[in-house]
């Protein structure tokens, strides 16, 4: 006697999910396409119903049924115009993408206007199942993102010194040591009046560099030490350089910049003012992008493998997601690369 085979279980449809969640099929579609028009409670109820029934469309099906990572988020609080000119973030994102590509993953990049907007964005990404984790950058003191992502239980990697990132897994560069090396190098050349054109004062890494510069200047008993905060743009770097070199009385004989684009702008300002580099003033850049090797003279720089930095951050995030990562750790400290823009001061 033949035993009748068990009929296959009926295929779960979007209609079944809608019925379980007590909403319309259109609402389910809105939730899974991450469209506005639903409350957080309704959206959560829909996702819960879908998981219980084992239903999901396309990429989301994979993320509901496994630990596969498909999308990583990165929000940056910078103007789009400035970001497009900033060599650091172009190299950093390239490094992140190099790791994501190996793993068939995508980067979801968004520009935000402030931290409050980013907190809301990270919340929407995580609750909406749009990302498997995020990379957080440009930390401030008492940064609100730390508590927000901890409350969500969201896997993240913080790009910043542990003194700024709370208990989050972090990857960072030793900016204090690098600044100290830069100042000591210029002092060893004979410079006694040294300035620094820094980045945005609100950023934690700017504060770390500011404190390290002050400490190095005191330890070396420099005759003059100036620091100017900017927004990292070439225009702001040019204004700061012009102001420093136009000062009455003793002006700096060497200037350290917090990024390459400001150093290139400073080189142009020196030429505009009829000053030779490095004869009248030495200039030292940061990060050492290709820009530093295209100028005349070529720019001395604190060299930093920014592409490798981005790749290491991405690898660390995968470790956080899988629970098999190395934890918080630094990447190699920027090292001095002398070129044609630095020399002993003229007599």
């Amino acid at each position: 006697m033949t035993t009748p085979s068990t009929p296959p279980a009926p295929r779960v449809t979007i209609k079944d999910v809608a019925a379980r969640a007590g909403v319309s099929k259109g609402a389910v579609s809105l939730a899974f396409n991450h469209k506005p028009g639903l409350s957080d409670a309704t959206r959560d109820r829909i996702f819960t119903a879908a998981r219980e029934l084992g239903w999901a469309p396309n990429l989301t099906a994979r993320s509901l049924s496994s630990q596969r990572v498909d999308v990583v988020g990165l929000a940056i609080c910078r103007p789009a115009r400035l970001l497009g000119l900033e060599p650091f973030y172009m190299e950093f994102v390239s490094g992140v993408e190099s790791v994501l590509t190996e793993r068939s993953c995508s980067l979801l990049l968004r520009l935000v206007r402030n931290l409050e907007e980013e907190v809301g964005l990270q919340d929407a990404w995580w609750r909406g199942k749009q990302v498997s984790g995020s990379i957080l950058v440009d930390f401030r003191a008492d940064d609100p993102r730390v508590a927000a992502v901890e409350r969500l239980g969201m896997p993240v990697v913080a790009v910043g010194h542990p003194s700024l990132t709370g208990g989050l897994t972090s990857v960072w560069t030793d900016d204090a040591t690098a600044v100290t090396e830069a100042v000591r190098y210029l002092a060893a050349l004979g410079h006694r009046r040294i300035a620094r054109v820094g980045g945005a004062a609100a950023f934690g890494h700017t504060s770390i560099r500011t404190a390290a510069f002050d400490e190095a200047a005191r330890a070396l008993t420099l005759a003059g030490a100036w620091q100017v905060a900017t927004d990292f743009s070439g225009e702001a770097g040019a204004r700061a350089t012009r102001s420093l070199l136009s000062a009455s009385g003793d002006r700096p004989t060497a200037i350290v910049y917090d990024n390459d684009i400001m150093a290139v702008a400073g080189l142009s300002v020196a030429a505009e003012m009829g000053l030779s580099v490095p004869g009248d003033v030495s200039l030292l850049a940061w990060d050492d992008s290709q820009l530093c090797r295209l100028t005349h003279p070529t720019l001395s720089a604190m060299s930093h493998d920014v592409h490798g930095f981005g790749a290491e951050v991405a690898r660390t995030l995968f470790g956080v997601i899988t629970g098999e990562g190395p934890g918080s750790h630094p990447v190699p400290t920027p090292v001095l690369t002398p070129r044609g823009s630095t020399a002993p001061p003229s007599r």
Side-chain angles (χ1 to χ4, degrees), residues 203-292:
F203 290 157
H205 66 268
T206 298
S207 298
I208 289 171
R209 294 183 189 184
T210 298
F213 183 92
D214 282 339
E215 184 175 343
R218 283 194 301 269
L220 293 165
T221 60
L222 298 180
W226 300 262
Q227 297 199 71
V228 182
T230 72
D231 63 2
F232 291 107
S233 69
E235 293 87 347
R239 284 194 300 271
T241 303
R242 194 173 292 111
S243 175
L244 288 166
L245 296 181
S246 299
S248 58
D250 291 336
R251 66 182 181 220
T253 60
I255 304 175
V256 182
Y257 295 86
D258 265 22
N259 70 2
D260 293 345
I261 194 169
M262 292 197 297
V264 172
L267 189 63
S268 297
V269 168
E272 163 199 312
M273 298 178 69
L275 300 175
S276 69
V277 176
D280 295 314
V281 60
S282 288
L283 306 181
L284 180 62
W286 202 280
D287 293 331
D288 198 17
S289 71
Q290 187 66 23
L291 284 177
C292 293

Side-chain angles (χ1 to χ4, degrees), residues 5-28:
S5 60
T6 303
R11 180 172 176 268
V12 178
T13 67
I14 189 174
K15 182 178 179 180
D16 300 316
V17 176
R20 173 71 68 94
V23 298
S24 67
K25 291 190 295 182
V28 177

